[in-house]
Each structure stands twice: as structure tokens, then as C-alpha cells.
Amino acid sequence: MSDQAILLFSCPDQRGIVADVAGFIAGIGGNILDSSQHNDIETGTFFMRVEWDLSGLTIAHDQIEPRFQKIAERYNMDAQVHFRPRRPRVAVFVSKQLHCLYDLVLRMRQGEIEADICAVISNHAAAQEVTDAFGLPFYHVEVSDQNRADAEARQQAILEETGAEVVVLARYMQILSDGFVDRWHRKAINIHHSFLPAFVGAKPYHQAFTRGVKIIGATSHYVTAELDQGPIIEQDITRISHRDQVADLVRKGRNLERLVLQQAVKLHVEHRVLIFGNKTIVF
Amino acid sequence: MSDQAILLFSCPDQRGIVADVAGFIAGIGGNILDSSQHNDIETGTFFMRVEWDLSGLTIAHDQIEPRFQKIAERYNMDAQVHFRPRRPRVAVFVSKQLHCLYDLVLRMRQGEIEADICAVISNHAAAQEVTDAFGLPFYHVEVSDQNRADAEARQQAILEETGAEVVVLARYMQILSDGFVDRWHRKAINIHHSFLPAFVGAKPYHQAFTRGVKIIGATSHYVTAELDQGPIIEQDITRISHRDQVADLVRKGRNLERLVLQQAVKLHVEHRVLIFGNKTIVF
Amino acid sequence: MSDQAILLFSCPDQRGIVADVAGFIAGIGGNILDSSQHNDIETGTFFMRVEWDLSGLTIAHDQIEPRFQKIAERYNMDAQVHFRPRRPRVAVFVSKQLHCLYDLVLRMRQGEIEADICAVISNHAAAQEVTDAFGLPFYHVEVSDQNRADAEARQQAILEETGAEVVVLARYMQILSDGFVDRWHRKAINIHHSFLPAFVGAKPYHQAFTRGVKIIGATSHYVTAELDQGPIIEQDITRISHRDQVADLVRKGRNLERLVLQQAVKLHVEHRVLIFGNKTIVF
Amino acid sequence: MSDQAILLFSCPDQRGIVADVAGFIAGIGGNILDSSQHNDIETGTFFMRVEWDLSGLTIAHDQIEPRFQKIAERYNMDAQVHFRPRRPRVAVFVSKQLHCLYDLVLRMRQGEIEADICAVISNHAAAQEVTDAFGLPFYHVEVSDQNRADAEARQQAILEETGAEVVVLARYMQILSDGFVDRWHRKAINIHHSFLPAFVGAKPYHQAFTRGVKIIGATSHYVTAELDQGPIIEQDITRISHRDQVADLVRKGRNLERLVLQQAVKLHVEHRVLIFGNKTIVF
């Protein structure tokens, strides 16, 4: 893969934005490979993601952002520039269920997700079988009602030491404090094993079984202070029938959880997700 | 299609039920074409649907139920016997949105659903375009807060006069009284334009838009006194994105509503649905 | 809906295209509402669709194309400009199966597809029930091995008289001549009742049944001289099982055919499809 | 899980089969947990699968088959009896692509598939990373045009030594001889990375890309002498667009291959598949 830049921004909508952005990229020798935009009609907000080739660039990479600053200010943009190839460092939190962790590990190893796992953090010892098999750093941080604050301080220290840029809660069954959530605002991704907003909270497969639904789902979202209420990145579903007991829902749901979480992580590390209010724009 | 009988029952599970039922059918010259059963493990309840050919029957049709009575009593069954071919009479309630009504009419005309529409009842005049085009009886019953009881009495009278056996609420936007719901218990089917239990009540597409879900759904269920809480017969979903405004959700949702409602009606008139508590067993 | 223009083009890829196109639109007072582009890497071809608001336009509508000519020439573009709202005139060819015709009629009436049916042409009388019910012009053109050329001349005359811009073969079971196909190149859409390229030709549901597939499909494509080989616009599938006989596949396939054909027609009349070689780019 | 038996059979259809089978099971103290049947109308063949609880059995396990023999002969049945819990021994053949192997290993470890891997056989060394990580027996058998017969003899010897009951070709890119295929008739399962019968043979993703399809698929089938023509067990699909290059199809196809192959293996080891001609009945 040749060197590429990704420009992501949002700003109040007005005439000429696309022309100016495209003119800027052409002016410094970039060639647009892919671009997507979106207008939020209610609020008059414009969103754009541009992926461009850097092979003909006539300025240094680190000059791109300063040069773009003029346009960003003119349109009052909230803008980010990212470069590829580059593999973000991902910390995975996990409890006893390991299927999502295994799935992420294998996809990163096989090049399906361009990221690396810098830490696996768990309140149980079970995940060590995964980290041992694949040579990944494992951190066992026990969590109880008594030591919750200390445990979180330890977790935060691990994230800092290992240079984590993204936190993935891969069926991590502990509640995180508001302070922790704030610190990882827009950088922490959770998988909830239901089709949100149905079946918020504990034991969603039991809830689904009791309600007698004919379809179950899984939802990946950014973590916010309010449980299961953050901006949704990805959802998927599978069909069930009266034959399926709770144990069958759990088994069928695993496929969903794996697919939905990995897709959300992939979209995030490829800088395809913009958060707007409590919703996402996924380019 | 040759003459067929459908036997549907539920009873406490015990050894020998299938043997006795199959023995009974073979004994009177029937030949089993299709059979499905289900055990509810928690409550120890057994459910079965058997479809059998009547061409070699050695007794009269109307002797089947009396003869079966002995087995039904032995196992304490809640049993029904139906015959095919036979087209149940369906009354469709509709407001301004006509897509579900059109869909049901066309499917019945084209033989996809083995039933006939005996009445289209609406609180608006709009549906008359459908009934005129297809020569169906139309009943305009205006409903307001003032005349609700009278209107319902009129609706009930129409249902009786036209010999309705099933009531289908095909995007009918009025609440029905508990008395009416009771009278049509297990015989009234509604389509709700969300993936229940998400987005109960009014304007589910607006609710879905606000929450930022990535998938929308539709749910068909039996009508019960509690709004949108009845036993679910069928659900389906479609994928949406940030590009979709409320109007797009409404448009995409129509396909779902049509498909889900017609499927539920089809399953019901083919005697494939057993209600158990607040859930359905769909054979 | 306010007035809008849609610009669709393809050209050899090079730096600056997006900047120049966006600059042009901003320069004449347009505001981009939606834009999509695509690079075909193998051939170095660039494709773009831009939808823009005309409410602030500083030139006359009919001046847009002449003014754009300069850019089109600079980049050697194959470009088209369309305006909305505008309802293209669609001629529907049909044989005995009427479900796709019904579906198109209803969607156009209910505003889901922004187009009008100018003629229903059939080699059977059956479709008259649809056209009578909805007040559409019906043309019965009998086709046999003896009169094929004459029949096609008659069909072509009807298309010209009624001002047809698009031809939709909605389960039309006659082969059209190469001459006819050429005349309607890129303007004639067919529905084939299989998941192409599987089960080309006659009786695809029988072929699917014989092969024992677990999923059936439908495919909508532009008509070309070679049977079932044209550029694919849309496909969809549904799951089947060993229980399904050919008649069940036919019934289940109808839902697919309806959905897939209407989606292709909708995409086409919204100018979202670009043909490139034997493939489509669907924006 | 309590002890269970599974009875699978096919025979010419006639009155009384279900009654006699159900009577037999009740007579020896079994209790039917689940049963499915199917009539093939064209050939008049009846198929049945019954799963029953053995906890109240009044005879020894090994007396079930001899006792059932009388009924089997009366109806001219092709019958099998299996017991659960029991984990069949599975040999997995693999080349360089490891995602299907990983998936099977993890599902067996996590209890989603009730089977064990007795051997991983590969013509490449790559798979050793998987077998080392999970402590599985790895057999590297190089295959070339020169040594094909010897290699197959070695593979067959390994299968015998390790007690393999099922052979799974998990993206194994070598052709097997007719002799080998015959020996593993109805016991060898392949994953083909297309929606069969579309794109038979080599490089199906390239074929799909060239044809411009909008949906890709994967198919799991029993291996027969004719390439990609065996009885289909399971298929699934995913949607693609013009944006997807061959590499994207490969990546998206991996999810399909994993899901489809594991589902076929799961169905097979749970004795849910009956082969009939070149089709499967999946209960």
C-alpha cells in the first residue's frame, strides 16, 4: 500500500467547502482516492472524509496540517488528519467469554484489521490461554466492589504504559467509572449482546427469550457514562425460532458479537467513524 | 390440492403422545404429509401440528374430531382440527397508509395467501381507491374521541355481518378497546413499524432516527390489551445508514411492513401458529 | 422538494477533477447536497455523481451544460446533467405473471419511485386487469414465431408514440431482437428469476430445485444481446430448504423479483447507475 | 446433557411409519425430544430424524438397533442410530489459508461444535502455527504432480491411524483422487468460496469481480468425484458493491467461508444431514 492521508472533518454547511478542500489537496500534489460527505439537514452540519494518495506530494507530511489550517479556520472545521499505513495500538478488556478476543486477535494477525493489541486486561485468569497462544501481553487486574477505584487506576496505568490508543470492551462484564469513560471519550468501544435499544442492561438473551422475539441482535457502540446508550457504530441480527432456548441464543449470539465488534473496531481504526451528538456517521 | 386435515394441539408432555396420534391417523386411513412438534422444557408442555391427506379416509370428515376426543382426553390436550382447502374470511382495518392493504389484496388474488377479504374497514375515505379497483366491500367508519364506543359497535357489527374470522390491523392508527381486543383474542393481528420491543408506541421511525440505529425493523403480533406487547408472530429488518432521514426510514420500512404482515397472516390462516403464554410457536 | 441537478460523469483519472467540478458548482451558486465517486484502478477511470441544490443558481438552468462543457473537454468526460423533480416515462413489458407490474404501479402511485408508466405492453390479455384497475394505457401485442418482426415494429411504434424513456421487462417471456436491444441500449431493464450467473435461461427455479441449492435469488440487469449477460444492477436472495418444492420456490421468488426489479428501476430513474464495460457503478 | 439417541432413516413412503417408529420408542421407554420428517413427493420417499431421551430406557443401548431391525425391514428402511453425547473425530485438510481451520478449532474448544480434531493435514507448513498454539497433531504432507499418489496414501494412513471419522477440506487447494473421494463418500465436506453453481472451479472471487455481481457467497458441500458438484449442505452470502476490489471480496468472503463451513460441520456431526441423490435434507 502506498502512503495515504485521511482527512476527516465536520463544519457548518456552506457553499464552496468541497471545492476548497479538493483544491487544497490538488494544490499540494495529492490525488483523491475516495471521498464521502454527508449533510445533516436539521442542524446544517457538513461532514467529509477524504482519502488521498501521497506519492506525488510536493510538501513534507508534517506540513499538511499547518497548511490546511487556513481552510479549517475559514469554515470553522473540527478536522483531523491521519496517515496510512499505520497500526493503532488497541487494549482489549475481557472477562470470561473469550470469543470476541480470539476473533480480534486472529483478524489482526491475518491483516483484516490494521491494528495491534498492546494489552489484554482481564478481571479473570481465563484470557491467559489466548495471550499465551499468541504471545500477547496479559494483565490480570482483579475487580471487586472493594477495590474498584484501585483496579481502575491500575488499568489506566497499563493503558498509558502500553501506549493504548483505543479501548475495546470485548464482553467485559464490569461497569467503568464516569471518570474512566470521560478519559476514553470517543476512544472506547463496547459490544452489547442485543439489538439496542431493545434489552438494555443485564442478561439480554434471557430478556429476548422471555419476550419471544423472532430475531436477536448485537450492537457495538462508543462507551458513554449512561449504560448501553452511546453512539451506535454497527449492528447485526440473526433469526431465531421457538426451538431456541436461552443457550441457543447465547451460541447464535456469539457469531453476531464477533462480527459486529470486529466491524466496529475496523471502522474505527480506519478513521471511518465521525460522532455527531449521540449518533455516528460511518463513511 | 387434495383434501387435507390439520391437527394442532398442546398438552403436558409424556411418553407415547406421538405414537398415539400417529396411530390414530393411520387407523382411520390418513397419511401424514408433514408434522412438527416442540417441547417447552421449562413447563413440560408438548406442541404438535400434523398435516395429513384425507384421500384414503375410512370415516366421514365430521367423525374425525369425535373419534380423536378419546386421545385428547387421555393427554389433556387443547386441540383443534382444520380442513383444507378452505379460505378464511379476513377483515382488514386501515387508516391512510394503504401499502399493506394493497399487498394483502394482491397476494390473496394471486393465490399466495389462501384467504379472502370480507371487509375493509377504515376511519378514512382513502382506502376506497383500493376497494373500488378490486371490487371489495368498503366500510367507512369515522372514529373520534366522542364516538369511539359507537364506532367500535359499528365495526363489530360489520365483522359479524360479513362473517369475519380474522381481523388484520394493516397500519390502523386507532386504539381499540379492551372489550374489542378480548372478543378477537388470538384472532387479531397487528403490524408495528419497529423491531419490538424497541420503539414501542407512536412514531417509531422518528424514535429510531433519534437513537441513531443502523437497522430498522417491523413486527407482526397478536393484539392484546397492552399496546405492542402481544405474542410476536414474525419480524424482519433492513439496514439503514446516517444518510437516511426519517422519510427514508418510512419508505424503507414500508417494504418490511408489507412482508412481515403478509407473512404473519399467511402463517395464521395456514394454522401454523400456536400461542403459548406471551410467545408463539410457529410450525 | 426544491429544484436539484444531478451531474453524472466518467473520465480518465487525474489530479484536480473533484476540485474543478466542485469549483464550477460553487461558482454558479449551486450547493452540493450529495456526491459520490469511484476510481476503477485497473483502467484508471474516474466516476462521479453530484447532486446539488439549484435554489441559489446565478445562471439559467439551460446554461449549466454549455458552461460545464469546458471542464468536460479538459478531462475528456462522458457527462450527463439531469434535473429533479421530473418523472421519467416508463414502458412495462409483461406476459402472464403480473406481480412485478403491480408492484411497480403501486410504488409509482405511492411516491416510492419517481416515474410514470406510459404504456403496459403484453403478449397476453391478462395484464388488462391491472391497467383497468389503475387507468393505465394497455397495448396487447400478440407475439408468435410468425409475426415476431411485425410485433416488435408495433412495440417500437408504441414506445415512440407514448414517449417512453425506459423499457422495463417485468417477467416478459419473449426474446427481443438484437436490433431492438441496441435501440434501447442502457435503457432496458430485465428481471431474471435467479441469482445470476447461476441458472441462466429457461426455468431457473426448476434448475435451482434440481441442483439442491439452499438459497435462491433474483437479478435485475440491463438488457444486452446475449441472454442474461447484461450489466447487473441489483440482486437479492432468500433462504430455502429441502421442504420447498418448485411451487414454493416460485412463490418465494416472487417477493425477490418484486423487490429487486423495483429497486433497479428506482436506481435507474434517480440517475444512480453508471455502466462501465459489463458492470455497473451504483451510487 | 442426558443420554440421547438419534435415529435417522429414509424409506418408501407408506401409511403407518411414524406410528410404528413412535410406538417402538415409547415401547422401550424412550421419550421423543425432537422429530422432523420429510416426504419427497416425486419419488415417494420418506425421511425422518428422531432425537429421544434414553434416561427411562428399559433395554440396553446395544439392543436398540437389533430390536428396531424388524421395523426397518418392514418398511425397507436405510436407517442409522447414533448416541449423544459423543464427539466424532475430525481430520482437517488445509493449505495456506488458515481462517477456516482457526474457526473450527475455536468452536470445538468453546463447545459450539461437539467434535474433536484428530489431525491437521497440510501441503504447507503454515498451519503449524495453529496446531502449536492449540496442541493439535500436525501432519505436513507435501503434494506435487510427481508424488500425488504417494501423498494420498500417506494422508489415508494418517486418517486411519488417528481414527478420523470425518474429513473437512478447510480451503485445501489440491484435487483429491476419485479413489480417495469414494473412500470418504458422504464423510468429506468441502468449502467452496462461491455461491454454487455460480463460479465453479478456480479463483471464484476473480470470476465474481469480472462478472460484476452485487452479492458473493460461499457453499459447503459433500465431496464427490465431480469438482464442486456434490450435495450442498449450507450456503450464505454477503452484499458487495462496485467499490470492492478482488482483495475486498477475498476479505469479505472469509467471514462467509468460516460461517458456512462450521455450520456444515456442526450439522454433519449432529447427524442432521441426510443425502438423497445429489441433494441434502437438513433437519
Side-chain angles (χ1 to χ4, degrees), chain A residues 10-13 38-47 276 281:
Chain A
S10 62
C11 63
D13 190 22
H38 176 63
N39 276 290
D40 184 71
I41 290 161
E42 276 180 53
T43 59
T45 311
F46 182 80
F47 303 85
F276 178 57
I281 287 134

Side-chain angles (χ1 to χ4, degrees), chain B residues 143-159:
Chain B
V143 180
S144 66
D145 286 347
Q146 284 70 45
N147 81 341
R148 202 165 294 272
D150 288 352
E152 231 175 53
R154 173 79 187 108
Q155 291 166 340
Q156 178 60 27
I158 295 164
L159 296 175

Side-chain angles (χ1 to χ4, degrees), chain A residues 34-36 98-99 102-103 106-107 109-112 129 133-134 243 251 254-255 258-259 262-263 266, chain D residues 34-36 98-99 102-103 106-107 109-112 129 133-134 243 251 254-255 258-259 262-263 266:
Chain A
D34 191 49
S35 119
S36 309
L98 305 177
H99 54 286
Y102 262 124
D103 194 71
L106 292 177
R107 286 179 197 270
R109 280 171 71 93
Q110 306 198 332
E112 295 183 27
E129 77 171 56
F134 296 103
R243 291 184 186 272
R251 181 178 53 75
R254 285 173 166 220
N255 281 336
R258 277 186 272 240
L259 282 173
Q262 68 86 18
Q263 180 68 6
K266 181 174 171 64
Chain D
D34 191 50
S35 120
S36 310
L98 306 178
H99 55 287
Y102 263 123
D103 194 71
L106 292 178
R107 284 178 199 270
R109 281 170 71 94
Q110 306 198 328
E112 295 183 28
E129 78 172 56
F134 296 103
R243 291 184 187 272
R251 180 177 55 74
R254 287 173 164 220
N255 281 336
R258 276 186 272 240
L259 282 173
Q262 69 84 19
Q263 180 68 6
K266 181 173 171 64

Side-chain angles (χ1 to χ4, degrees), chain B residues 34 98-99 102 106-107 109-110 112 129 133-134 243 251 254-255 258-259 262 266, chain C residues 34 98-99 102 106-107 109-110 112 129 133-134 243 251 254-255 258-259 262 266:
Chain B
D34 191 49
L98 305 177
H99 55 286
Y102 263 123
L106 292 177
R107 285 178 198 271
R109 280 171 71 92
Q110 306 199 329
E112 294 182 30
E129 77 172 57
F134 296 102
R243 291 185 187 272
R251 181 178 53 74
R254 286 173 166 222
N255 282 335
R258 277 186 272 242
L259 283 172
Q262 68 85 18
K266 182 175 171 62
Chain C
D34 191 49
L98 304 178
H99 55 288
Y102 263 123
L106 292 177
R107 285 179 198 270
R109 280 171 72 94
Q110 307 199 327
E112 294 183 30
E129 76 171 57
F134 295 104
R243 291 184 186 270
R251 182 177 53 74
R254 286 173 164 222
N255 282 336
R258 278 187 272 242
L259 282 173
Q262 67 85 18
K266 183 175 169 65

Side-chain angles (χ1 to χ4, degrees), chain B residues 30 48 67 157 220 282:
Chain B
M48 189 165 187
R67 291 265 196 118
S220 190
V282 179

